[in-house]
């Protein structure tokens, strides 16, 4: 199948992002084979699935994820902001999302961190994924080169991916230096030349965040290997399943 569909934070166009509801809605679409999620650590070291460093936008809580215990975060409502139907959705633990996705979806897990913000994050994620027997179905991605290096030191069997959003520089060179076989790149930074050269080297490319049909078609025409990361997998389905 051309241009695989990746559900961005689950089916986040319809459900509250990075919740079990969003994961279930993504799983319900048989053509969604991949999902992208974000992981951080609670104060007491539990990997949780949430994008922002702060709780304020997607929950009824306040403050930083890293300053809160898991029990506190668990009690928050992470659904109401998206609509009354989702009241009572929680911030899920990574373990809950892995359990739900296992055997159904492959995962691009972004480690949301910078510098020394979350000591032990890499190890915690690696341990969970290995315990669930999901290493082959996972790529671990980050903007932070240090994180990608630590993953390779802790368990070189993991596939790693660089997230790239810079206007300049050479992503291909950086991937080489870091031993990454996956590039997560802003869709407007991707050129046909870069797409072709990376695909020839066996690097998987994921373009984000693509919610318009026109942009999906543009990327599809550029290269059939480009994975399309979207909040609206339903629009992807309308285009590529009708083709």
């Amino acid at each position: 199948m051309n241009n695989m569909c990746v559900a961005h934070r689950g089916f986040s166009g319809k459900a509250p992002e990075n919740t079990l509801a969003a994961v279930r809605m993504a799983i319900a679409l048989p053509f969604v084979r991949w999902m992208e999620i974000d992981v951080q650590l609670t104060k007491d070291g539990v990997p949780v699935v949430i994008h922002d460093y702060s709780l304020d936008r997607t929950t009824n809580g306040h403050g930083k994820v890293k300053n809160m215990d898991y029990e506190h975060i668990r009690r928050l409502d992470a659904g109401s902001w998206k609509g009354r139907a989702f009241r009572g959705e929680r911030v899920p633990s990574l373990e809950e999302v892995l359990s739900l996705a296992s055997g159904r979806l492959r995962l691009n897990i972004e480690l949301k961190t910078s510098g020394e913000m979350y000591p032990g994050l890499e190890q915690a994620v690696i341990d969970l994924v290995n315990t669930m027997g999901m290493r082959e179905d996972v790529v671990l991605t980050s903007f932070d080169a240090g994180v990608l290096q630590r993953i390779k030191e802790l368990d070189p069997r993991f596939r790693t991916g660089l997230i790239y959003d810079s206007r300049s520089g050479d992503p291909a060179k950086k991937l080489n230096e870091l031993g990454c076989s996956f590039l997560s790149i802003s869709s407007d930074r991707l050129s046909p030349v870069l797409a072709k050269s990376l695909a020839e080297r066996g690097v998987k490319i994921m373009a984000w965040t693509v919610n318009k049909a026109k942009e999906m078609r543009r990327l599809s025409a550029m290269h059939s290997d480009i994975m399309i990361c979207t909040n609206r997998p339903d629009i992807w389905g309308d285009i590529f399943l009708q083709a």
Side-chain angles (χ1 to χ4, degrees):
M1 189 189 277
N2 278 359
N3 297 100
M4 268 191 286
C5 181
V6 184
H8 183 238
R9 307 177 195 168
F11 191 159
S12 58
K14 296 273 171 83
E17 64 180 60
N18 281 327
T19 60
L20 296 181
V23 178
R24 287 192 188 99
M25 284 175 92
I27 289 170
L29 299 172
F31 56 83
V32 176
R33 308 280 167 81
W34 275 86
M35 178 173 68
E36 187 270 352
I37 57 170
D38 306 281
V39 174
Q40 298 180 54
L41 274 188
T42 61
K43 189 179 177 183
D44 49 345
V46 179
V48 287
V49 178
I50 186 169
H51 176 272
D52 298 6
Y53 292 131
S54 153
L55 295 160
D56 295 51
R57 179 176 65 89
T58 58
T59 79
N60 61 346
H62 301 288
K64 290 196 161 54
V65 174
K66 71 182 181 77
N67 296 334
M68 308 292 169
D69 284 342
Y70 178 58
E71 275 312 310
H72 173 79
I73 289 179
R74 268 212 80 66
R75 289 197 294 269
L76 301 175
D77 178 330
S80 290
W81 65 278
K82 191 76 176 176
R84 228 181 310 175
F86 298 107
R87 210 173 95 200
E89 275 300 313
R90 305 271 167 245
V91 174
S93 67
L94 175 59
E95 189 172 2
E96 289 173 308
V97 173
L98 290 176
S99 299
L100 203 48
S102 183
R104 297 188 176 109
L105 292 173
R106 305 183 76 184
L107 295 175
N108 169 351
I109 302 175
E110 177 182 346
L111 281 69
K112 288 296 292 186
T113 181
S114 181
E116 295 303 308
M117 187 175 186
Y118 287 124
L121 176 63
E122 299 87 358
Q123 188 72 65
V125 172
I126 284 171
D127 288 347
L128 262 181
V129 173
N130 279 335
T131 300
M132 306 284 289
M134 290 176 70
R135 192 179 61 248
E136 296 304 315
D137 296 322
V138 161
V139 58
L140 301 180
T141 61
S142 183
F143 279 102
D144 191 308
V147 168
L148 299 170
Q149 285 161 333
R150 274 195 291 278
I151 292 163
K152 286 292 187 202
E153 285 161 17
L154 291 165
D155 191 337
R157 298 172 300 179
F158 269 85
R159 274 180 75 196
T160 54
L162 176 68
I163 307 173
Y164 197 81
D165 192 23
S166 167
R167 289 180 186 280
S168 59
D170 181 353
K173 183 164 174 271
K174 213 144 165 60
L175 289 167
N176 245 352
E177 286 167 7
L178 294 165
C180 293
S181 58
F182 192 99
L183 178 68
S184 170
I185 188 168
S186 170
S187 63
D188 56 2
R189 299 272 175 275
L190 198 49
S191 69
V193 175
L194 180 62
K196 185 171 182 290
S197 72
L198 289 175
E200 281 169 359
R201 280 179 34 199
V203 172
K204 260 295 182 210
I205 307 160
M206 186 190 81
W208 45 267
T209 303
V210 188
N211 298 321
K212 293 195 165 64
K214 184 181 170 190
E215 179 71 352
M216 291 183 190
R217 288 197 180 95
R218 181 182 76 83
L219 290 165
S220 171
M222 193 184 287
H223 204 290
S224 63
D225 279 2
I226 298 168
M227 299 165 78
I228 294 174
C229 186
T230 180
N231 300 333
R232 296 291 306 271
D234 52 329
I235 292 177
W236 184 100
D238 290 344
I239 297 172
F240 294 103
L241 299 183
Q242 313 309 331

